[in-house]
mmCIF file of all heavy atoms in Angstrom:
data_model
loop_
_atom_site.group_PDB
_atom_site.id
_atom_site.type_symbol
_atom_site.label_atom_id
_atom_site.label_comp_id
_atom_site.label_asym_id
_atom_site.label_seq_id
_atom_site.Cartn_x
_atom_site.Cartn_y
_atom_site.Cartn_z
ATOM 1 N N LYS A 3 69.313 353.405 13.763
ATOM 2 C CA LYS A 3 68.378 352.517 13.073
ATOM 3 C C LYS A 3 68.427 352.666 11.556
ATOM 4 O O LYS A 3 67.767 351.918 10.836
ATOM 5 C CB LYS A 3 66.947 352.791 13.558
ATOM 6 C CG LYS A 3 66.708 352.418 15.022
ATOM 7 C CD LYS A 3 66.860 350.920 15.215
ATOM 8 C CE LYS A 3 66.621 350.504 16.650
ATOM 9 N NZ LYS A 3 66.727 349.039 16.846
ATOM 10 N N GLY A 4 69.195 353.626 11.075
ATOM 11 C CA GLY A 4 69.311 353.817 9.632
ATOM 12 C C GLY A 4 68.044 354.337 8.999
ATOM 13 O O GLY A 4 67.757 354.055 7.825
ATOM 14 N N LYS A 5 67.273 355.101 9.749
ATOM 15 C CA LYS A 5 66.017 355.648 9.231
ATOM 16 C C LYS A 5 66.294 356.895 8.396
ATOM 17 O O LYS A 5 67.343 357.529 8.497
ATOM 18 C CB LYS A 5 65.077 356.001 10.381
ATOM 19 C CG LYS A 5 64.764 354.847 11.329
ATOM 20 C CD LYS A 5 63.866 353.826 10.676
ATOM 21 C CE LYS A 5 63.425 352.764 11.680
ATOM 22 N NZ LYS A 5 62.566 351.732 11.081
ATOM 23 N N SER A 6 65.318 357.259 7.574
ATOM 24 C CA SER A 6 65.459 358.456 6.739
ATOM 25 C C SER A 6 64.855 359.690 7.387
ATOM 26 O O SER A 6 64.786 360.757 6.774
ATOM 27 C CB SER A 6 64.787 358.221 5.376
ATOM 28 O OG SER A 6 63.409 357.924 5.539
ATOM 29 N N CYS A 7 64.394 359.558 8.620
ATOM 30 C CA CYS A 7 63.811 360.699 9.329
ATOM 31 C C CYS A 7 64.910 361.656 9.793
ATOM 32 O O CYS A 7 66.093 361.325 9.784
ATOM 33 C CB CYS A 7 63.013 360.223 10.544
ATOM 34 S SG CYS A 7 61.704 359.028 10.172
ATOM 35 N N PHE A 8 64.481 362.853 10.247
ATOM 36 C CA PHE A 8 65.427 363.809 10.819
ATOM 37 C C PHE A 8 64.702 364.633 11.871
ATOM 38 O O PHE A 8 63.553 365.053 11.660
ATOM 39 C CB PHE A 8 66.009 364.730 9.750
ATOM 40 C CG PHE A 8 67.143 365.576 10.259
ATOM 41 C CD1 PHE A 8 68.433 365.063 10.328
ATOM 42 C CD2 PHE A 8 66.918 366.871 10.699
ATOM 43 C CE1 PHE A 8 69.477 365.831 10.825
ATOM 44 C CE2 PHE A 8 67.957 367.652 11.189
ATOM 45 C CZ PHE A 8 69.250 367.125 11.247
ATOM 46 N N ALA A 9 65.364 364.857 13.018
ATOM 47 C CA ALA A 9 64.804 365.689 14.082
ATOM 48 C C ALA A 9 65.374 367.101 13.970
ATOM 49 O O ALA A 9 66.583 367.297 14.005
ATOM 50 C CB ALA A 9 65.117 365.085 15.444
ATOM 51 N N PHE A 10 64.502 368.069 13.837
ATOM 52 C CA PHE A 10 64.871 369.477 13.739
ATOM 53 C C PHE A 10 64.614 370.181 15.064
ATOM 54 O O PHE A 10 63.837 369.698 15.895
ATOM 55 C CB PHE A 10 64.034 370.178 12.666
ATOM 56 C CG PHE A 10 64.307 369.742 11.254
ATOM 57 C CD1 PHE A 10 63.707 368.610 10.733
ATOM 58 C CD2 PHE A 10 65.135 370.489 10.425
ATOM 59 C CE1 PHE A 10 63.931 368.209 9.425
ATOM 60 C CE2 PHE A 10 65.372 370.100 9.115
ATOM 61 C CZ PHE A 10 64.769 368.954 8.616
ATOM 62 N N ALA A 11 65.245 371.336 15.239
ATOM 63 C CA ALA A 11 64.962 372.191 16.393
ATOM 64 C C ALA A 11 64.729 373.614 15.904
ATOM 65 O O ALA A 11 65.207 374.013 14.839
ATOM 66 C CB ALA A 11 66.123 372.155 17.388
ATOM 67 N N ALA A 12 63.985 374.383 16.691
ATOM 68 C CA ALA A 12 63.716 375.780 16.352
ATOM 69 C C ALA A 12 65.027 376.584 16.371
ATOM 70 O O ALA A 12 65.966 376.228 17.093
ATOM 71 C CB ALA A 12 62.735 376.361 17.355
ATOM 72 N N PRO A 13 65.087 377.652 15.563
ATOM 73 C CA PRO A 13 64.015 378.154 14.711
ATOM 74 C C PRO A 13 64.073 377.581 13.293
ATOM 75 O O PRO A 13 64.977 377.913 12.523
ATOM 76 C CB PRO A 13 64.276 379.660 14.679
ATOM 77 C CG PRO A 13 65.771 379.778 14.836
ATOM 78 C CD PRO A 13 66.218 378.608 15.677
ATOM 79 N N THR A 14 63.146 376.702 12.970
ATOM 80 C CA THR A 14 62.989 376.169 11.624
ATOM 81 C C THR A 14 61.540 376.370 11.213
ATOM 82 O O THR A 14 60.625 375.954 11.934
ATOM 83 C CB THR A 14 63.327 374.668 11.570
ATOM 84 O OG1 THR A 14 64.647 374.451 12.053
ATOM 85 C CG2 THR A 14 63.215 374.140 10.139
ATOM 86 N N ASP A 15 61.315 377.026 10.090
ATOM 87 C CA ASP A 15 59.960 377.298 9.642
ATOM 88 C C ASP A 15 59.274 376.025 9.157
ATOM 89 O O ASP A 15 59.867 375.239 8.406
ATOM 90 C CB ASP A 15 59.962 378.313 8.503
ATOM 91 C CG ASP A 15 60.250 379.728 8.976
ATOM 92 O OD1 ASP A 15 60.111 379.970 10.191
ATOM 93 O OD2 ASP A 15 60.587 380.588 8.145
ATOM 94 N N VAL A 16 58.015 375.872 9.574
ATOM 95 C CA VAL A 16 57.205 374.742 9.128
ATOM 96 C C VAL A 16 55.864 375.271 8.628
ATOM 97 O O VAL A 16 55.143 375.951 9.369
ATOM 98 C CB VAL A 16 56.952 373.735 10.270
ATOM 99 C CG1 VAL A 16 56.038 372.601 9.793
ATOM 100 C CG2 VAL A 16 58.259 373.177 10.799
ATOM 101 N N GLN A 17 55.564 374.978 7.383
ATOM 102 C CA GLN A 17 54.224 375.232 6.835
ATOM 103 C C GLN A 17 53.489 373.894 6.893
ATOM 104 O O GLN A 17 53.632 373.064 6.012
ATOM 105 C CB GLN A 17 54.314 375.736 5.393
ATOM 106 C CG GLN A 17 52.958 376.051 4.774
ATOM 107 C CD GLN A 17 53.060 376.450 3.310
ATOM 108 O OE1 GLN A 17 54.158 376.544 2.747
ATOM 109 N NE2 GLN A 17 51.921 376.660 2.680
ATOM 110 N N PRO A 18 52.694 373.652 7.938
ATOM 111 C CA PRO A 18 52.171 372.304 8.164
ATOM 112 C C PRO A 18 51.153 371.837 7.143
ATOM 113 O O PRO A 18 50.931 370.634 6.992
ATOM 114 C CB PRO A 18 51.560 372.396 9.566
ATOM 115 C CG PRO A 18 51.283 373.832 9.782
ATOM 116 C CD PRO A 18 52.336 374.575 9.030
ATOM 117 N N ASP A 19 50.525 372.773 6.440
ATOM 118 C CA ASP A 19 49.560 372.417 5.399
ATOM 119 C C ASP A 19 49.977 373.127 4.122
ATOM 120 O O ASP A 19 49.963 374.360 4.050
ATOM 121 C CB ASP A 19 48.149 372.832 5.820
ATOM 122 C CG ASP A 19 47.080 372.431 4.811
ATOM 123 O OD1 ASP A 19 47.430 372.081 3.665
ATOM 124 O OD2 ASP A 19 45.889 372.475 5.168
ATOM 125 N N ALA A 20 50.343 372.366 3.113
ATOM 126 C CA ALA A 20 50.842 372.956 1.869
ATOM 127 C C ALA A 20 49.812 373.843 1.189
ATOM 128 O O ALA A 20 50.167 374.733 0.403
ATOM 129 C CB ALA A 20 51.284 371.848 0.906
ATOM 130 N N ASP A 21 48.538 373.624 1.466
ATOM 131 C CA ASP A 21 47.470 374.393 0.827
ATOM 132 C C ASP A 21 47.046 375.608 1.639
ATOM 133 O O ASP A 21 46.140 376.347 1.233
ATOM 134 C CB ASP A 21 46.250 373.494 0.593
ATOM 135 C CG ASP A 21 46.540 372.351 -0.361
ATOM 136 O OD1 ASP A 21 47.293 372.570 -1.334
ATOM 137 O OD2 ASP A 21 46.035 371.240 -0.137
ATOM 138 N N ASP A 22 47.668 375.817 2.788
ATOM 139 C CA ASP A 22 47.301 376.928 3.663
ATOM 140 C C ASP A 22 48.474 377.897 3.758
ATOM 141 O O ASP A 22 49.503 377.584 4.362
ATOM 142 C CB ASP A 22 46.942 376.384 5.054
ATOM 143 C CG ASP A 22 46.598 377.491 6.040
ATOM 144 O OD1 ASP A 22 46.472 378.663 5.619
ATOM 145 O OD2 ASP A 22 46.464 377.188 7.244
ATOM 146 N N ASP A 23 48.329 379.090 3.181
ATOM 147 C CA ASP A 23 49.424 380.060 3.202
ATOM 148 C C ASP A 23 49.262 381.067 4.337
ATOM 149 O O ASP A 23 49.880 382.131 4.325
ATOM 150 C CB ASP A 23 49.544 380.780 1.856
ATOM 151 C CG ASP A 23 48.407 381.771 1.608
ATOM 152 O OD1 ASP A 23 47.379 381.697 2.325
ATOM 153 O OD2 ASP A 23 48.546 382.622 0.701
ATOM 154 N N THR A 24 48.443 380.733 5.357
ATOM 155 C CA THR A 24 48.245 381.638 6.486
ATOM 156 C C THR A 24 48.846 381.082 7.777
ATOM 157 O O THR A 24 48.604 381.634 8.853
ATOM 158 C CB THR A 24 46.752 381.923 6.726
ATOM 159 O OG1 THR A 24 46.085 380.712 7.121
ATOM 160 C CG2 THR A 24 46.092 382.488 5.473
ATOM 161 N N THR A 25 49.620 380.002 7.680
ATOM 162 C CA THR A 25 50.199 379.417 8.886
ATOM 163 C C THR A 25 51.650 379.003 8.660
ATOM 164 O O THR A 25 51.952 378.255 7.732
ATOM 165 C CB THR A 25 49.396 378.190 9.361
ATOM 166 O OG1 THR A 25 48.073 378.608 9.728
ATOM 167 C CG2 THR A 25 50.053 377.531 10.567
ATOM 168 N N ILE A 26 52.528 379.542 9.511
ATOM 169 C CA ILE A 26 53.938 379.125 9.592
ATOM 170 C C ILE A 26 54.283 379.038 11.075
ATOM 171 O O ILE A 26 54.106 380.007 11.816
ATOM 172 C CB ILE A 26 54.882 380.138 8.920
ATOM 173 C CG1 ILE A 26 54.853 379.999 7.404
ATOM 174 C CG2 ILE A 26 56.308 379.934 9.397
ATOM 175 C CD1 ILE A 26 55.698 378.873 6.853
ATOM 176 N N VAL A 27 54.757 377.885 11.514
ATOM 177 C CA VAL A 27 55.118 377.713 12.924
ATOM 178 C C VAL A 27 56.583 377.315 13.047
ATOM 179 O O VAL A 27 57.214 376.905 12.067
ATOM 180 C CB VAL A 27 54.225 376.654 13.611
ATOM 181 C CG1 VAL A 27 52.795 377.159 13.737
ATOM 182 C CG2 VAL A 27 54.255 375.332 12.851
ATOM 183 N N GLN A 28 57.112 377.449 14.254
ATOM 184 C CA GLN A 28 58.490 377.043 14.555
ATOM 185 C C GLN A 28 58.470 376.149 15.796
ATOM 186 O O GLN A 28 58.756 376.611 16.905
ATOM 187 C CB GLN A 28 59.381 378.263 14.786
ATOM 188 C CG GLN A 28 59.607 379.102 13.545
ATOM 189 C CD GLN A 28 60.592 380.237 13.796
ATOM 190 O OE1 GLN A 28 61.063 380.451 14.903
ATOM 191 N NE2 GLN A 28 60.918 380.968 12.748
ATOM 192 N N PRO A 29 58.121 374.870 15.631
ATOM 193 C CA PRO A 29 58.098 373.975 16.803
ATOM 194 C C PRO A 29 59.472 373.898 17.452
ATOM 195 O O PRO A 29 60.497 374.004 16.780
ATOM 196 C CB PRO A 29 57.697 372.627 16.192
ATOM 197 C CG PRO A 29 57.088 372.947 14.861
ATOM 198 C CD PRO A 29 57.781 374.176 14.393
ATOM 199 N N ASP A 30 59.491 373.676 18.766
ATOM 200 C CA ASP A 30 60.770 373.590 19.468
ATOM 201 C C ASP A 30 61.608 372.417 18.966
ATOM 202 O O ASP A 30 62.798 372.540 18.718
ATOM 203 C CB ASP A 30 60.535 373.469 20.973
ATOM 204 C CG ASP A 30 60.003 374.758 21.567
ATOM 205 O OD1 ASP A 30 60.447 375.832 21.127
ATOM 206 O OD2 ASP A 30 59.131 374.699 22.451
ATOM 207 N N VAL A 31 60.980 371.252 18.843
ATOM 208 C CA VAL A 31 61.628 370.061 18.283
ATOM 209 C C VAL A 31 60.565 369.315 17.467
ATOM 210 O O VAL A 31 59.413 369.234 17.888
ATOM 211 C CB VAL A 31 62.177 369.131 19.388
ATOM 212 C CG1 VAL A 31 62.791 367.870 18.778
ATOM 213 C CG2 VAL A 31 63.212 369.861 20.248
ATOM 214 N N PHE A 32 60.965 368.792 16.309
ATOM 215 C CA PHE A 32 60.001 368.022 15.517
ATOM 216 C C PHE A 32 60.732 367.040 14.613
ATOM 217 O O PHE A 32 61.917 367.208 14.319
ATOM 218 C CB PHE A 32 59.091 368.945 14.697
ATOM 219 C CG PHE A 32 59.788 369.779 13.655
ATOM 220 C CD1 PHE A 32 59.862 369.370 12.326
ATOM 221 C CD2 PHE A 32 60.366 370.993 13.995
ATOM 222 C CE1 PHE A 32 60.492 370.135 11.368
ATOM 223 C CE2 PHE A 32 61.006 371.775 13.042
ATOM 224 C CZ PHE A 32 61.062 371.348 11.722
ATOM 225 N N VAL A 33 59.997 366.014 14.187
ATOM 226 C CA VAL A 33 60.574 364.957 13.356
ATOM 227 C C VAL A 33 59.840 364.897 12.017
ATOM 228 O O VAL A 33 58.607 364.886 11.967
ATOM 229 C CB VAL A 33 60.490 363.585 14.051
ATOM 230 C CG1 VAL A 33 60.962 362.479 13.115
ATOM 231 C CG2 VAL A 33 61.315 363.588 15.334
ATOM 232 N N ILE A 34 60.632 364.861 10.947
ATOM 233 C CA ILE A 34 60.110 364.703 9.588
ATOM 234 C C ILE A 34 60.660 363.403 9.016
ATOM 235 O O ILE A 34 61.863 363.144 9.092
ATOM 236 C CB ILE A 34 60.537 365.876 8.682
ATOM 237 C CG1 ILE A 34 59.903 367.190 9.171
ATOM 238 C CG2 ILE A 34 60.168 365.621 7.232
ATOM 239 C CD1 ILE A 34 58.416 367.292 8.966
ATOM 240 N N CYS A 35 59.783 362.588 8.443
ATOM 241 C CA CYS A 35 60.215 361.310 7.854
ATOM 242 C C CYS A 35 59.960 361.236 6.350
ATOM 243 O O CYS A 35 60.339 360.254 5.717
ATOM 244 C CB CYS A 35 59.505 360.143 8.550
ATOM 245 S SG CYS A 35 59.985 359.934 10.280
ATOM 246 N N ASP A 36 59.336 362.259 5.799
ATOM 247 C CA ASP A 36 59.054 362.301 4.363
ATOM 248 C C ASP A 36 60.019 363.306 3.734
ATOM 249 O O ASP A 36 59.926 364.512 3.967
ATOM 250 C CB ASP A 36 57.599 362.718 4.134
ATOM 251 C CG ASP A 36 57.208 362.708 2.659
ATOM 252 O OD1 ASP A 36 58.118 362.637 1.802
ATOM 253 O OD2 ASP A 36 56.002 362.796 2.366
ATOM 254 N N GLU A 37 60.956 362.804 2.929
ATOM 255 C CA GLU A 37 61.984 363.672 2.355
ATOM 256 C C GLU A 37 61.392 364.768 1.463
ATOM 257 O O GLU A 37 61.985 365.840 1.321
ATOM 258 C CB GLU A 37 62.998 362.837 1.580
ATOM 259 C CG GLU A 37 63.849 361.930 2.470
ATOM 260 C CD GLU A 37 64.947 361.228 1.704
ATOM 261 O OE1 GLU A 37 65.090 361.506 0.497
ATOM 262 O OE2 GLU A 37 65.672 360.415 2.325
ATOM 263 N N LYS A 38 60.245 364.506 0.866
ATOM 264 C CA LYS A 38 59.619 365.510 0.005
ATOM 265 C C LYS A 38 59.262 366.769 0.795
ATOM 266 O O LYS A 38 59.241 367.866 0.240
ATOM 267 C CB LYS A 38 58.373 364.935 -0.655
ATOM 268 C CG LYS A 38 58.665 363.855 -1.698
ATOM 269 C CD LYS A 38 57.393 363.363 -2.358
ATOM 270 C CE LYS A 38 57.700 362.308 -3.414
ATOM 271 N NZ LYS A 38 56.454 361.795 -4.062
ATOM 272 N N LYS A 39 58.974 366.598 2.086
ATOM 273 C CA LYS A 39 58.620 367.750 2.919
ATOM 274 C C LYS A 39 59.826 368.631 3.200
ATOM 275 O O LYS A 39 59.672 369.769 3.651
ATOM 276 C CB LYS A 39 58.000 367.276 4.237
ATOM 277 C CG LYS A 39 56.682 366.535 4.080
ATOM 278 C CD LYS A 39 56.141 366.066 5.429
ATOM 279 C CE LYS A 39 54.830 365.298 5.263
ATOM 280 N NZ LYS A 39 54.303 364.817 6.570
ATOM 281 N N MET A 40 61.036 368.115 2.936
ATOM 282 C CA MET A 40 62.266 368.856 3.221
ATOM 283 C C MET A 40 62.913 369.438 1.972
ATOM 284 O O MET A 40 64.037 369.936 2.025
ATOM 285 C CB MET A 40 63.269 367.936 3.933
ATOM 286 C CG MET A 40 62.794 367.440 5.284
ATOM 287 S SD MET A 40 64.029 366.421 6.161
ATOM 288 C CE MET A 40 63.649 364.784 5.516
ATOM 289 N N GLU A 41 62.225 369.388 0.842
ATOM 290 C CA GLU A 41 62.826 369.811 -0.414
ATOM 291 C C GLU A 41 62.930 371.317 -0.564
ATOM 292 O O GLU A 41 63.833 371.832 -1.216
ATOM 293 C CB GLU A 41 62.032 369.219 -1.582
ATOM 294 C CG GLU A 41 62.190 367.707 -1.727
ATOM 295 C CD GLU A 41 61.359 367.133 -2.852
ATOM 296 O OE1 GLU A 41 60.488 367.883 -3.385
ATOM 297 O OE2 GLU A 41 61.568 365.960 -3.215
ATOM 298 N N ASP A 42 62.001 372.067 0.028
ATOM 299 C CA ASP A 42 62.027 373.529 -0.100
ATOM 300 C C ASP A 42 63.159 374.087 0.770
ATOM 301 O O ASP A 42 63.283 373.725 1.942
ATOM 302 C CB ASP A 42 60.686 374.118 0.354
ATOM 303 C CG ASP A 42 60.565 375.596 0.030
ATOM 304 O OD1 ASP A 42 61.211 376.406 0.728
ATOM 305 O OD2 ASP A 42 59.833 375.950 -0.919
ATOM 306 N N PRO A 43 64.011 374.968 0.230
ATOM 307 C CA PRO A 43 65.147 375.479 1.010
ATOM 308 C C PRO A 43 64.746 376.429 2.128
ATOM 309 O O PRO A 43 65.522 376.636 3.072
ATOM 310 C CB PRO A 43 65.992 376.214 -0.041
ATOM 311 C CG PRO A 43 65.020 376.577 -1.123
ATOM 312 C CD PRO A 43 64.013 375.470 -1.157
ATOM 313 N N LYS A 44 63.549 377.015 2.058
ATOM 314 C CA LYS A 44 63.125 377.991 3.057
ATOM 315 C C LYS A 44 62.462 377.351 4.264
ATOM 316 O O LYS A 44 62.608 377.837 5.390
ATOM 317 C CB LYS A 44 62.121 378.982 2.441
ATOM 318 C CG LYS A 44 62.731 380.176 1.769
ATOM 319 C CD LYS A 44 61.627 381.175 1.436
ATOM 320 C CE LYS A 44 62.217 382.455 0.872
ATOM 321 N NZ LYS A 44 61.147 383.459 0.579
ATOM 322 N N ARG A 45 61.683 376.289 4.045
ATOM 323 C CA ARG A 45 60.831 375.785 5.113
ATOM 324 C C ARG A 45 60.452 374.333 4.869
ATOM 325 O O ARG A 45 60.552 373.830 3.745
ATOM 326 C CB ARG A 45 59.546 376.621 5.212
ATOM 327 C CG ARG A 45 58.686 376.601 3.936
ATOM 328 C CD ARG A 45 57.544 377.594 4.024
ATOM 329 N NE ARG A 45 56.705 377.585 2.824
ATOM 330 C CZ ARG A 45 56.945 378.308 1.743
ATOM 331 N NH1 ARG A 45 58.017 379.088 1.707
ATOM 332 N NH2 ARG A 45 56.128 378.263 0.694
ATOM 333 N N ILE A 46 60.014 373.683 5.926
ATOM 334 C CA ILE A 46 59.393 372.375 5.819
ATOM 335 C C ILE A 46 57.967 372.586 5.338
ATOM 336 O O ILE A 46 57.241 373.446 5.845
ATOM 337 C CB ILE A 46 59.374 371.663 7.187
ATOM 338 C CG1 ILE A 46 60.793 371.508 7.733
ATOM 339 C CG2 ILE A 46 58.660 370.330 7.087
ATOM 340 C CD1 ILE A 46 61.698 370.651 6.889
ATOM 341 N N ILE A 47 57.541 371.803 4.361
ATOM 342 C CA ILE A 47 56.172 371.921 3.861
ATOM 343 C C ILE A 47 55.462 370.592 4.096
ATOM 344 O O ILE A 47 55.745 369.590 3.446
ATOM 345 C CB ILE A 47 56.136 372.302 2.367
ATOM 346 C CG1 ILE A 47 56.860 373.633 2.141
ATOM 347 C CG2 ILE A 47 54.684 372.389 1.891
ATOM 348 C CD1 ILE A 47 56.890 374.081 0.691
ATOM 349 N N GLY A 48 54.547 370.602 5.049
ATOM 350 C CA GLY A 48 53.826 369.388 5.411
ATOM 351 C C GLY A 48 53.911 369.160 6.912
ATOM 352 O O GLY A 48 54.802 369.677 7.594
ATOM 353 N N ALA A 49 52.986 368.387 7.442
ATOM 354 C CA ALA A 49 52.917 368.165 8.889
ATOM 355 C C ALA A 49 54.025 367.234 9.359
ATOM 356 O O ALA A 49 54.261 366.187 8.757
ATOM 357 C CB ALA A 49 51.558 367.572 9.255
ATOM 358 N N PRO A 50 54.733 367.595 10.442
ATOM 359 C CA PRO A 50 55.710 366.674 11.037
ATOM 360 C C PRO A 50 54.998 365.445 11.616
ATOM 361 O O PRO A 50 53.812 365.496 11.953
ATOM 362 C CB PRO A 50 56.340 367.504 12.155
ATOM 363 C CG PRO A 50 56.044 368.928 11.815
ATOM 364 C CD PRO A 50 54.726 368.900 11.120
#
């Protein structure tokens, strides 16, 4: 479909709330459609 989304699989770190530094999860499979959430080299920052 030529979408800008991407489906990731674990183990990929996700910080689902940029303002919360007490949560990091590794969902089995997840989709991110906002490229800004993928800018950090260590982890996804923002909710899938």
